Amino acid sequence: MNKELPQGLKLLTIWLLILLVVFMGFKAWEHQRAQSLVSIDGGAIVLKRGPDGHFHWPGEVNGLAVDFLVDTGATSTALPQALAERAGLVAEASVSSQTAAGVTRGYRARANIALRGGVQAERLAVTVLPALGAPLLGMDILAKLDFKQQDGTLHIRADR
């Protein structure tokens, strides 16, 4: 009895494996590139502007790895609802938030935030919005830091 797989199934399996290797390689490259945008220089945290023109700061929300978008125009740190749910955040109150797209409804929750370079905020009140595309690091954290932007880099000191 011939137990060999049909030729078409073999080819499909090979192509799927090739695509998986390419995908994993791209994800590893993407992760390495994001890590290289953040460095520690003599006690200062240095963020390089990303290819999208924004500053990104890797960190954690309740122990869950995230890539924050630094947003000096945001009053408070804001998280997408899907991320907040994965991080186990509990809604405390409904809120309306003014965003670039207009007024949107969400909720207020508390989260433990840890950023690369040692910056932390325990039980920080965060805004959770259902349609938010990326976690935003707002002035509720940034105002407690010394930072300056120069030549495509953001230099941050936590010893304010």
Side-chain angles (χ1 to χ4, degrees), residues 72-89:
T72 58
T75 305
S76 68
T77 296
L79 304 173
Q81 185 171 347
L83 171 63
E85 289 171 358
R86 284 195 321 271
L89 302 189

Side-chain angles (χ1 to χ4, degrees), residues 70-131:
V70 176
D71 188 354
T72 58
T75 305
S76 68
T77 296
L79 304 173
Q81 185 171 347
L83 171 63
E85 289 171 358
R86 284 195 321 271
L89 302 189
V90 177
E92 293 182 345
S94 294
V95 296
S96 291
S97 185
Q98 180 67 41
T99 68
V103 176
T104 186
R105 303 242 351 119
Y107 62 88
R108 183 69 83 187
R110 296 215 175 260
N112 295 325
I113 307 289
L115 300 166
R116 187 161 176 212
V119 175
Q120 295 185 16
E122 304 250 336
R123 296 198 32 81
L124 180 72
V126 297
T127 303
V128 177
L129 301 172

Side-chain angles (χ1 to χ4, degrees), residues 19-79:
L19 288 173
L20 177 64
V21 167
V22 169
F23 175 77
M24 295 302 289
F26 176 76
K27 286 308 223 178
W29 172 80
E30 194 176 56
H31 177 73
Q32 191 275 334
R33 184 174 179 167
Q35 294 299 322
S36 70
L37 295 176
V38 180
S39 62
I40 310 299
D41 181 23
I45 300 155
V46 180
L47 306 179
K48 294 180 188 170
R49 188 181 307 277
D52 61 358
H54 299 286
F55 294 105
H56 296 263
W57 196 346
E60 295 180 353
V61 174
N62 286 5
L64 187 66
V66 297
D67 181 37
F68 284 99
L69 180 69
V70 176
D71 188 354
T72 58
T75 305
S76 68
T77 296
L79 304 173

